[in-house]
Amino acid sequence: TLHASTLLHAVTRVQGPAARYSLILFYRQICPAAAHRLVECSVATMDLLYPPEEGSYSCDACGDSRRELEEQGCRSMWHCAAGCEYDLCGVCHDVGLADGVEYVSVR
């Protein structure tokens, strides 16, 4: 079975002498395939969502890292409001690399 929740997941059942279940979690880059909206977040907000000491963030379209985006003068990112780890830099957002995703600017 596969169904959406705030965390996209599936459960499998293997039958045999005893039923076994597995939980499968899907993460990253869900938004282009889902009806999620992206919200514009400041760099400070992104640092709270993705602490630099834990790897920070990058743009899921162009692949630029936080450091590269900072060097380019990126002051905000577009982040999934549903909690997916999907983010776009301003340039990728502006050229529409996540067509079908609703954008909402909230700062």
Side-chain angles (χ1 to χ4, degrees):
T1 177
L2 174 65
H3 61 276
S5 73
T6 55
L7 177 64
L8 189 63
H9 64 280
V11 177
T12 63
R13 179 178 171 197
V14 179
Q15 291 183 295
R20 300 166 107 196
Y21 296 88
S22 296
L23 174 64
I24 304 167
L25 302 177
F26 300 93
Y27 62 97
R28 307 237 1 124
Q29 300 188 10
I30 294 170
C31 292
H36 296 169
R37 62 190 178 101
L38 299 180
V39 294
E40 188 175 18
C41 298
S42 68
V43 172
T45 300
M46 293 298 289
D47 284 341
L48 291 173
L49 294 169
Y50 303 100
E53 61 274 7
E54 293 179 19
S56 199
Y57 57 88
S58 62
C59 176
D60 287 308
C62 67
D64 284 352
S65 68
R66 180 197 188 283
R67 183 185 51 77
E68 292 166 323
L69 292 165
E70 187 177 276
E71 289 171 358
Q72 297 167 23
C74 181
R75 289 188 159 70
S76 65
M77 292 285 289
W78 291 82
H79 178 72
C80 176
C84 301
E85 291 184 6
Y86 184 81
D87 308 291
L88 290 179
C89 68
V91 172
C92 292
H93 164 263
D94 291 345
V95 298
L97 289 181
D99 288 339
V101 177
E102 178 186 350
Y103 302 102
V104 178
S105 181
V106 290
R107 288 190 184 215

